[in-house]
Amino acid sequence: MSYLTNMLWGKYEGAAGNQGYVYIKATNPQLNDIYMLYFHGINGDAIRAITRMDKIGCHKFFIEYPGYSFISRSTDLTTITLGEDTDTILKEIFEQIPSKATVIMYGRSIGTGIMCPKIEPYTQRIQGIILETPFISLPELIKTYAGFIGVVVGNWFEIYKWDLSTLDHIKNTTTKVLILGCGQDYITPISHSHLLFENLKSSPDIQLTILENESHQLKFQKIEEDVMEWLTTKFL
């Protein structure tokens, strides 16, 4: 498999423990000037992400979260720490990317909420944002399931200790945006994809793609096709 022969590993020893990233070189010469930074979801998605994106032949950085990553292989969301370590990793990655390259920020599921608060310092270098199965914010997601009582319980257990808001941090974006939602998604409901699309008024080029018959764990082949079509249409 190409992703095995083109994989490089970056590692940072941070205050919260080991954190790092996986870098995969471009395999498609047409996409050699495109660099994608991928923020994975939970429940084993950190590992699956590498293989599920294999046919998207641009340069790819798969970013870890301290305590929940390729290194720790943890699936315990409460162990995540998102502070200076994550910022250090992003700074190191952007230093490696050529200044004139096309940079795409890609978040999946909870990775959309982890990614969006980190975008602002790099606004001038980012040309595209992909939000796959996204949500507005963690409180709004829990409210979708459990109403106001869910929000109160969430505050009680301090599950909002991270700033996992998508809309608040990109509502004024002027870059191209692709939103990928699934009609049968009961984890990050399709309503959140529609709300993002309706509220990102500042983007001059925003596309909402709804996969009506797909669930949260959508088929890899289909998502690769949609992302590749968007990349080639918008950036080549």
Side-chain angles (χ1 to χ4, degrees), residues 136-150:
I136 295 290
S137 68
L138 198 53
E140 288 298 320
L141 182 62
I142 292 177
K143 190 186 298 183
T144 301
Y145 290 115
F148 179 72
I149 293 176

Side-chain angles (χ1 to χ4, degrees), residues 95-229:
E95 288 174 351
Q96 297 180 53
I97 298 175
S99 59
K100 295 184 178 181
T102 297
V103 177
I104 309 296
M105 302 290 279
Y106 190 139
R108 166 174 160 75
S109 189
I110 200 169
T112 61
I114 294 171
M115 174 185 75
C116 289
K118 303 295 182 181
I119 285 179
E120 185 176 358
Y122 305 103
T123 299
Q124 300 302 316
R125 299 200 57 189
I126 296 170
Q127 286 75 46
I129 298 171
I130 300 176
L131 304 170
E132 180 189 328
T133 59
F135 55 90
I136 295 290
S137 68
L138 198 53
E140 288 298 320
L141 182 62
I142 292 177
K143 190 186 298 183
T144 301
Y145 290 115
F148 179 72
I149 293 176
V151 176
V152 172
V153 173
N155 281 318
W156 180 267
F157 286 101
E158 298 186 335
I159 63 174
Y160 305 138
K161 62 183 177 181
W162 314 288
D163 181 9
L164 299 182
S165 170
T166 53
L167 181 59
D168 283 351
H169 291 281
I170 62 170
K171 60 186 177 183
N172 296 318
T173 186
T174 57
T175 190
K176 297 179 175 67
V177 179
L178 170 64
I179 301 173
L180 297 162
C182 297
Q184 306 301 314
D185 192 338
Y186 302 108
I187 297 177
T188 53
I190 192 65
S191 59
H192 285 248
S193 293
H194 284 291
L195 284 169
L196 280 166
F197 179 72
E198 293 165 5
N199 285 280
L200 291 177
K201 303 297 186 182
S202 59
S203 173
D205 190 334
I206 179 170
Q207 176 180 325
L208 173 62
T209 298
I210 302 298
L211 307 173
E212 294 290 351
N213 298 318
E214 294 288 345
S215 67
H216 194 70
Q217 299 296 344
L218 67 170
K219 295 182 178 67
F220 296 166
Q221 181 179 356
K222 178 57 180 170
I223 204 69
E224 287 176 334
E225 292 172 357
D226 289 330
V227 171
M228 278 296 294
E229 180 181 356

Side-chain angles (χ1 to χ4, degrees), residues 63-105:
I63 297 167
E64 295 197 300
Y65 319 137
Y68 186 101
S69 59
F70 303 102
I71 296 174
S72 67
R73 297 177 180 268
S74 169
T75 56
D76 181 1
L77 188 61
T78 63
T79 64
I80 296 180
T81 54
L82 301 170
E84 294 181 0
D85 294 347
T86 306
D87 296 334
T88 300
I89 287 294
L90 285 175
K91 182 175 182 294
E92 179 179 316
I93 289 173
F94 271 96
E95 288 174 351
Q96 297 180 53
I97 298 175
S99 59
K100 295 184 178 181
T102 297
V103 177
I104 309 296
M105 302 290 279

